[in-house]
Amino acid sequence: MKKISLVLGLALMGIGMQAHTYTNPIIPGFYPDPSICRVDSDYYLVNSTFHYFPGIPVWHSRDLVNWEQIGNAIDRVDQMDMSRANSWGGLYAPTIRYNDGLYYMINTNVTNGGNFFVTATDPAGPWSDPVWLEQGGIDPSFYFEDGKCYFTSNPEDAIYLCEIDPATGKQLTQSQKIWQGTGGRYPEGPHIYKKDGWYYLLISEGGTEHAHMITIARSKNIYGPYESNPNNPILTHCNQLGQLNPIQGTGHADIVEAPDGSWWLVCLAFRPQQGMNHLTGRETYLAPVVWDENGWPVVNGNGTIQTVMNVNLPIQGDLKPQTDWSFNIDFSKLTKPGFDWVYLRKPIDGNYAFTEKGLTLTGNEWDLNSIEYPTFLGHRQQHINFEATSSLSLDAKAVGAQAGLTVFMDMRSHYDIYLSKTETGYAVNLDYWLSSIYHKEASIEINGDSALLRIEGNTNVYSFSFSIDGGKTFIPLGSADTRYLSSETAGGFTGIILGMYCTGKESPQATFKYFKYRPVEAAK
């Protein structure tokens, strides 16, 4: 194995060639379950979104490392029913495929409807209304060959295959069990590829936690029987090689061939930041793949991936610097949010307005603990060490109305810094919601109805402060342990969203002037 790994490593590095260096994750923050396809020199990638709207971000890249979000496959309220979805529900792992001039995004709404697909002639959209599929399970995928469309998913805890009509979604053949994996729990995420006369079936096993892994089987017949790779799993960090890696939970992958004949794998993984806890969600990672002398894929030489990768990418010339993902948005200059901003389940018409003063949120009776439609607009936390600041004013009549910023993992678990309407004026508050536990950390009366609110995050704590002098001085309100909002504690399949919100009786209105976000490492 050491000899094979050395040979593969040399092949990946390219003898006599200068490798490119990039950093994983290539798309940081809550962007799980990546699926990828290539059309000519363009790569397109999608991720799952669960109970957030718009759903299923669509990304474009020319070098596999730098990605630009160009839209969302589910971006119309009437396109998909997201009602009563929570962080365990909604839109699960998608697949993106291209065939005969049409892009397909195949997905599962586990809360409302089951498996479906949407189509577009341009991956930036618009995407069609959903076409619903009969075969159950989750993580659906298409494979096109000789005018036929094959559909895989995982009903009954195994991978099943059938043929469908890609125009109507009608199932044309009986669902047939083709593989149950290597014995790991939850065999899911199936994708079929064809190479050198073999059909390869790639799946994930072990559950989407620390024991996650990628396994593969092959057959000369698409319906099997499938032979398991003797070196499975081809990717996992749940072993001695990966146990000390800062990347954990590697799994749920898709592979793609580049124009130069090289192969690449995208997968999800997460970055534990306090013990075994992670908060930025399951993110998107990239690794090279080579095929050994027996025709089996090997990921990055030894079946693990690293934060800093040094490989030959399928591009000409130097690699562009990777983005640091920081931003400073002046809402008065927008007419709508960017593709990367999300609502909970769906936005209520009239509760979000962009004006010359900024973004005005109109609150309703639903708060952040509700499974309905609170007034909320958020952005993913993409770095373990970060700072986020926003300026807002609150116009409220009813005592108890509030608006501010939230570190939101789930409707049961979030930390909130906010302005509230009191009997005598306004106050700045800090609340902690931890499942069934509620704690008010601070409440300070202020003069006026506006403030700057700041959230700082690091490995161990979130810290909260505010300013009423335009940012000259910030007054600390408190700090809270990160692990209580981690996926391991709070549950769910998502990651932290830094959100702006407004809630209360008699339609309170909060106007946010701007939102700044930066990784702390980017500070000068």
Side-chain angles (χ1 to χ4, degrees):
M1 182 62 188
K2 290 183 178 179
K3 183 177 180 181
I4 293 175
S5 297
L6 176 61
V7 172
L8 293 173
L10 291 173
L12 292 172
M13 289 294 296
I15 298 175
M17 299 175 63
Q18 182 177 357
H20 302 95
T21 299
Y22 69 89
T23 301
N24 272 316
I26 53 170
I27 306 178
F30 159 52
Y31 289 106
D33 304 315
S35 175
I36 190 171
C37 73
R38 176 179 65 85
V39 180
D40 298 325
S41 298
D42 296 286
Y43 301 93
Y44 300 99
L45 185 147
V46 291
N47 302 102
S48 55
T49 44
F50 299 92
H51 61 323
Y52 290 104
F53 176 88
I56 315 300
V58 182
W59 302 83
H60 170 257
S61 178
R62 283 286 183 91
D63 59 19
L64 290 169
V65 171
N66 292 286
W67 293 87
E68 176 190 5
Q69 189 175 351
I70 58 175
N72 294 278
I74 304 300
D75 64 357
R76 303 184 300 278
V77 169
D78 61 357
Q79 191 182 13
M80 186 63 53
D81 181 6
M82 298 297 295
S83 61
R84 303 195 69 77
N86 60 20
S87 60
W88 301 96
L91 301 181
Y92 271 32
T95 297
I96 187 169
R97 292 295 183 259
Y98 175 81
N99 182 66
D100 196 23
L102 206 58
Y103 293 87
Y104 295 79
M105 192 285 292
I106 312 98
N107 196 217
T108 312
N109 185 336
V110 298
T111 307
N112 301 293
N115 289 322
F116 69 93
F117 68 90
V118 293
T119 61
T121 56
D122 183 342
W127 290 79
S128 71
D129 287 334
V131 178
W132 297 95
L133 298 162
E134 299 172 52
Q135 182 171 288
I138 60 171
D139 303 349
S141 183
F142 285 175
Y143 172 74
F144 295 93
E145 185 178 38
D146 296 333
K148 295 183 177 181
C149 179
Y150 297 93
F151 169 46
T152 54
S153 61
N154 76 332
E156 301 177 14
D157 208 30
I159 308 304
Y160 280 73
L161 175 74
C162 68
E163 184 184 341
I164 69 159
D165 180 342
T168 65
K170 179 178 175 57
Q171 187 164 326
L172 303 178
T173 63
Q174 185 176 356
S175 299
Q176 183 171 323
K177 180 179 174 180
I178 58 173
W179 197 39
Q180 199 158 5
T182 64
R185 64 176 182 165
Y186 307 136
E188 57 193 15
H191 296 301
I192 290 178
Y193 319 90
K194 193 173 187 181
K195 184 179 186 296
D196 300 329
W198 290 98
Y199 293 96
Y200 288 88
L201 174 59
L202 184 80
I203 73 169
S204 58
E205 301 183 49
T208 186
E209 299 92 22
H210 287 268
H212 217 17
M213 58 183 173
I214 295 298
T215 58
I216 196 165
R218 69 184 180 188
S219 173
K220 288 290 187 178
N221 187 311
I222 195 168
Y223 283 99
Y226 279 84
E227 166 199 4
S228 179
N229 180 358
N231 291 318
N232 276 326
I234 63 170
L235 172 65
T236 187
H237 283 192
C238 189
N239 55 20
Q240 289 184 349
L241 283 176
Q243 65 182 344
L244 298 180
N245 197 305
I247 302 167
Q248 290 296 317
T250 53
H252 200 103
D254 199 2
I255 59 176
V256 67
E257 184 180 11
D260 67 351
S262 63
W263 287 78
W264 299 86
L265 174 142
V266 292
C267 68
L268 66 75
F270 53 79
R271 293 174 287 167
Q273 63 182 71
Q274 186 181 172
M276 301 296 279
N277 301 298
H278 76 282
L279 290 100
T280 54
R282 297 168 298 154
E283 307 169 296
T284 296
Y285 291 72
L286 175 73
V289 173
V290 297
W291 300 81
D292 69 17
E293 63 273 17
N294 296 313
W296 291 109
V298 179
V299 179
N300 197 36
N302 65 1
T304 67
I305 57 179
Q306 285 74 46
T307 300
V308 178
M309 300 287 291
N310 199 24
V311 298
N312 288 323
L313 290 166
I315 60 174
Q316 298 293 324
D318 295 331
L319 180 67
K320 293 189 303 182
Q322 285 180 261
T323 178
D324 67 5
W325 302 94
S326 61
F327 58 86
N328 184 355
I329 295 178
D330 180 347
F331 290 121
S332 68
K333 297 181 179 179
L334 299 182
T335 58
K336 60 182 179 179
F339 297 132
D340 50 345
W341 290 81
V342 292
Y343 307 90
L344 279 165
R345 301 172 196 92
K346 73 173 182 179
I348 298 296
D349 287 343
N351 285 358
Y352 305 83
F354 290 89
T355 72
E356 68 280 358
K357 294 182 179 180
L359 168 61
T360 297
L361 303 184
T362 300
N364 54 32
E365 68 272 24
W366 295 313
D367 60 23
L368 295 177
N369 301 325
S370 171
I371 201 168
E372 300 297 339
Y373 310 108
T375 302
F376 169 100
L377 183 63
H379 193 281
R380 293 159 177 84
Q381 177 189 333
Q382 295 183 277
H383 304 83
I384 293 173
N385 300 288
F386 75 92
E387 178 185 280
T389 308
S390 187
S391 171
L392 78 152
S393 58
L394 176 62
D395 182 6
K397 299 180 178 63
V399 171
Q402 62 179 256
L405 302 180
T406 177
V407 181
F408 189 85
M409 174 57 84
D410 176 79
M411 65 185 188
R412 303 173 307 157
S413 300
H414 46 93
Y415 299 156
D416 311 325
I417 178 173
Y418 60 94
L419 289 178
S420 67
K421 177 66 175 175
T422 68
E423 294 283 356
T424 57
Y426 291 91
V428 180
N429 306 266
L430 178 60
D431 291 358
Y432 304 145
W433 294 87
L434 304 169
S435 190
S436 60
I437 301 172
Y438 166 73
H439 172 69
K440 178 170 284 295
E441 177 70 10
S443 182
I444 299 176
E445 292 272 352
I446 62 171
N447 293 321
D449 58 4
S450 62
L452 306 185
L453 305 181
R454 175 168 290 175
I455 303 170
E456 296 169 280
N458 61 39
T459 297
N460 297 312
V461 298
Y462 290 105
S463 299
F464 302 86
S465 59
F466 73 97
S467 173
I468 53 175
D469 61 4
K472 296 177 182 177
T473 56
F474 277 84
I475 300 169
L477 276 181
S479 60
D481 200 306
T482 57
R483 60 181 165 168
Y484 300 127
L485 295 188
S486 69
S487 296
E488 288 72 18
T489 302
F493 290 140
T494 59
I496 294 295
I497 302 289
L498 303 173
M500 301 170 288
Y501 75 97
C502 183
T503 182
K505 297 179 180 179
E506 299 186 47
S507 301
Q509 290 191 326
T511 299
F512 294 80
K513 294 181 181 179
Y514 63 82
F515 195 106
K516 298 179 182 179
Y517 173 91
R518 65 180 178 90
V520 170
E521 294 87 347
K524 300 298 184 181

